[in-house]
Amino acid sequence: MSPEIGTHQLESDTAGDMNFKETELTLALPGESRTLKEMNGGTIGTKRGFLETVDLNLGSPRADCSDKDRNESENDVLTAAKPPAAKAQVVGWPPVRDYRKNAMKSCKYVKVAVDGAPYLRKVNLEMYNSYEQLLSALEDMFSCFTIRNYLNERKMVNGVENVPTYEDKDGDWMMLGDVPWKMFVESCKRLRLMKSSEANGLAPRTPSKCSSTSG
Amino acid sequence: MNYFPDEVLEHVFDFVTSHRDRNSLSQVCKSWYRIESSSRQKVFIGNCYAISPERVIERFPGLKSITLKGKPHFADFNLVPNDWGGFVYPWIEAFARNRVGLEELQLKRMVVSDESLELLSRCFPNFKSLVLVSCEGFTTDGLAAIAANCRFLRELDLQENEVEDHRGHWLGCFPDSCTSLTSLNFACLKGDINLGVLERLVARSPNLRSLRLNRAVPLDTLQKILMQSPQLLDLGVGSYVNDPDSEIYSKLVTAIQKCESVRSLSGFLDVAPHCLPAFHSICPNLTSLNLSYAPGIHGSELTKLIHHCRKLQRLWILDCIGDKGLEVVASTCKDLQELRVFPSDPYVGNAAVTEEGLVAISSGCPKLNSILYFCQQMTNAALITVAKNCPNFTRFRLCILDPTKPDAVTMQPLDEGFGAIVHSCRGLRRLSLSGLLTDQVFLYIGMYAEQLEMLSIAFAGDSDKGMQYVLNGCKKLRKLEIMDCPFGNGALLMDVGKYETMRSLWMSSCEVTLGGCKTLAKLMPRLNVEIMNENELADFSADHTPKVNKMYLYRTLVGRRKDAPEYVCTL
């Protein structure tokens, strides 16, 4: 629609090298170009851009696959570069009050699936300060299962053992305990207590590597 | 009518309560103006900079109750820097100095200092009601002053304010002799509360009708409070985490069952959803339910709760309810008038509802007249259907999280869909647009939205024509706020007289230039044209003046304000 799309994208690409984070999501929105403007000293105007020009990753279920792949690979780069990944936001959009945004922020609810249980639960990761607290809350929640403590202590109650794993922002399934607690909270999308038998091949961690505090 | 003595006219005017109607009364003739002004007790000031406190007091000597609004609406979305203004202190100070018998104060988007609250608490012996909405600048120390000094306080209602919390002592400042509370809302406070003090306060407030607790109030305190106050009409639950097998929970169930008067329910900050069935007994009576701060309630627990709420008129919910959940609402809540669906993850930009949920609601709830809907996507077909199903919308706000997203099926702009809404909903007063939109949608708005008073636009339109259609067509327009649209001086200067018929105009990241704004300011001395420039360097445009980052103009009777910060320039 707008002939300015091409130029806009070009400008954003050059800016992208300087600050990849800024261009990650809301690339072509004029608000975004405002922040780019501040960096480049006024070379980009407040032109309207077109969102389909790219890396918007705003999660539309009908998003074009190739766009999505590109987004995810960029996410990879981004998370590698700066964990935890902060999402670039256009100032003023979406029109949600800070008060509400902050109230939601302190609620990081993730689904918890337990192999063998017929239903899922949700926990608020923000309510805990360490892996230990989380795991003991999960044990309370799923009291008929045991969870293999990441320090590799085994508790057998019903004779069923579970290994706690989580899906991170990249969609990979990881074992709990490798990264500092806060980093885990940022990147965890869901939890799964995997049956021990399926977790074969995952070497038990040595206690010294484990970080149980929110450091 | 001139043969009636003043007292009779006054008595008649007493029955006229809405401020708009009273404004109309005052314009009939000089004597009506005089009588109306001297008898008016409730005053509404939509823009605190449109008039000065002295002039308000002069005109309305009988003033007892005032509502003041400060910052422009887009301040809610971080578009207005700190210290822009909206200070209430000068108003309170003027009222105190002139011995106004102030009893009620309601503020929205204003800066309220502890000093203001202290002054307020000391200078007005009959002060009864303080309502603060989206305000900032105060701490719990200010609240302590209110609690301690306002002997006849009935209402302390804090909605979504940013309050610095100095931890809990303020509640203890209500003296033992204070038994007059009817409404107490401190849900927005983040700090701890002395629970014993709270319980005793509730116990000595037999007239308490509305109580909204914060996160720091746990379940067992809630249960004790409910036992003391079964007469509550409006309840905001604080923290709601417990074990359904515990004794406290079963006591809570009993306490809730006694609360037969509760019509409005909110809160559930921190919630264990499996404890929700305790509330099923009062759900059938509810007319208002706000779960928009409870992301922990979702899925089947949520739909089970809603199934019981057959009388609901107002529902505020998070988008994790999903389209399916909205279908449950549509089939259960036949009296629904107002629905707000908020995004549960505004940072990421993934909404869990689509056009399907909206269509379901529109077909199930024919009384719907107000909607705020954050969604993933929309289609023209859906909007056309919604317009047909619900011609009674007075407020229609649609926010597609991806702001220039086209029709998800046809990839066309959403002009036709919104056009159908304004065409069908003749009583529409407030409209917010989003999605891919061309000048065409504004043509429709100008043509059909005859009652429109407030319009919010972002990332829409192609040219000046868009804004011109709106300014030309919408005769009742009062507030227009625009961000990131290609509207420039041509639109801004088309009809400068129009702005005196409106409360305010906001334009940010558009194409208007400093030259255009200066021209406007020169032509219209009774407007304050404020420019906010945060960047040193800005684009230069055809008229060789820089583009304006943010412009906020409003009509005023008192000229430029004296409290503007450095970055604001009134032309």
Side-chain angles (χ1 to χ4, degrees), chain B residues 113-115 117-118 121 130 138-147 170:
Chain B
S113 59
D114 282 347
E115 211 186 354
L117 292 176
E118 270 163 59
S121 74
L130 180 63
F138 60 104
T139 75
T140 46
D141 294 345
L143 297 178
I146 297 287
W170 67 277

Side-chain angles (χ1 to χ4, degrees), chain A residues 2 9 17 30 32 70 74 123 130 134 193 200 205 211:
Chain A
S2 159
Q9 194 171 356
D17 294 333
E32 189 52 40
R70 199 163 11 129
E74 279 174 4
V123 287
S130 69
L134 171 63
L193 304 184
N200 277 341
R205 223 163 299 103
S211 160

Side-chain angles (χ1 to χ4, degrees), chain B residues 296-348:
Chain B
I297 304 180
H298 50 273
S300 63
E301 297 290 352
L302 177 55
T303 40
K304 262 190 268 170
L305 192 72
I306 292 192
H307 262 304
H308 288 93
C309 300
R310 301 200 156 271
K311 287 202 193 149
L312 222 50
Q313 294 171 15
R314 173 161 45 161
L315 177 62
W316 290 24
I317 199 90
L318 289 171
D319 64 3
C320 45
I321 192 175
D323 288 333
K324 290 276 170 258
L326 288 176
E327 283 167 30
V328 174
V329 174
S331 61
T332 310
C333 309
K334 294 306 185 187
D335 286 338
L336 196 66
Q337 295 177 26
E338 176 184 334
L339 175 66
R340 296 195 191 189
V341 180
F342 292 96
S344 45
D345 197 347
Y347 288 103
V348 171

